[in-house]
Amino acid sequence: MKHLTIILAVGALLLMCCNCSFMDKMYAAQKIDNVATPIHYTTLENYYVRNDVDCSKQRRLIIDNEQDFDAFFGKAATMGGLPTAVNWSKQYVVAIVLPETKRATAIEPVAVKVTDNDVMVFSYHVKKGDKMAHSMVPFTAVAIDKPASDTKMTIFYLEK
């Protein structure tokens, strides 16, 4: 019984440490979001997450070439139009992919902001609806112009 109590205490301590780290990152993203400048982005339409991609966990993607993009996403031409084109020489893609679910879920980009010291905040909103008979992989992706210099951006994802 004593061993079980010790194991549970260590587990709780680890969980609290992980949660604090997550909360620190979220607080930092909110703080940066307040001082950052909005930049133009284009929401990608008529794409889907490929069925050979592991969708058991949340993914935050930064993709700068067509081959890597095609490894995650497929094009879905519909009666509503063609997939949004990405100019890979001038743009890159930032995406959020949530785990597969049987609940109607939509992810809407809210804003993309950047600071003077190359820190970007990609804010999005998740809307959850009713249960469905089939499953889906919720995602959103935006195309953003590449910066003029080759500096590496630090990107925060902020769910609002």
Side-chain angles (χ1 to χ4, degrees), residues 28 31 35 56 58 62 68 79 81-82 93 120-121 128 139 143:
K31 191 174 178 181
V35 297
S56 61
Q58 180 178 2
I62 303 163
D68 290 346
M79 290 176 36
L82 296 173
V93 171
M120 181 187 301
V121 178
K128 293 187 177 182
F139 81 98

Side-chain angles (χ1 to χ4, degrees), residues 37-68:
T37 305
I39 61 171
H40 175 74
Y41 65 91
T42 303
T43 303
L44 301 184
E45 301 287 337
N46 295 334
Y47 288 96
Y48 61 90
V49 177
R50 292 172 43 127
N51 63 3
D52 58 348
V53 173
D54 177 18
C55 295
S56 61
K57 60 182 178 179
Q58 180 178 2
R59 291 179 181 256
R60 295 172 172 172
L61 305 171
I62 303 163
I63 304 172
D64 64 358
N65 64 71
E66 191 170 8
Q67 293 77 23
D68 290 346

Side-chain angles (χ1 to χ4, degrees), residues 30-144:
Q30 288 173 339
K31 191 174 178 181
I32 293 167
D33 188 46
N34 291 336
V35 297
T37 305
I39 61 171
H40 175 74
Y41 65 91
T42 303
T43 303
L44 301 184
E45 301 287 337
N46 295 334
Y47 288 96
Y48 61 90
V49 177
R50 292 172 43 127
N51 63 3
D52 58 348
V53 173
D54 177 18
C55 295
S56 61
K57 60 182 178 179
Q58 180 178 2
R59 291 179 181 256
R60 295 172 172 172
L61 305 171
I62 303 163
I63 304 172
D64 64 358
N65 64 71
E66 191 170 8
Q67 293 77 23
D68 290 346
F69 183 81
D70 291 343
F72 276 93
F73 302 103
K75 296 177 180 176
T78 64
M79 290 176 36
L82 296 173
T84 308
V86 177
N87 183 344
W88 293 105
S89 65
K90 296 180 180 180
Q91 296 177 310
Y92 64 100
V93 171
V94 177
I96 182 98
V97 180
L98 297 181
E100 186 173 359
T101 182
K102 287 196 170 193
R103 184 171 299 276
T105 305
I107 308 171
E108 297 175 353
V110 174
V112 179
K113 296 181 179 180
V114 68
T115 66
D116 292 339
N117 56 351
D118 298 322
V119 176
M120 181 187 301
V121 178
F122 174 42
S123 302
Y124 61 92
H125 178 70
V126 177
K127 288 183 180 180
K128 293 187 177 182
D130 297 331
K131 286 195 173 190
M132 307 179 302
H134 62 282
S135 63
M136 67 173 294
V137 179
F139 81 98
T140 191
V142 297
I144 301 168

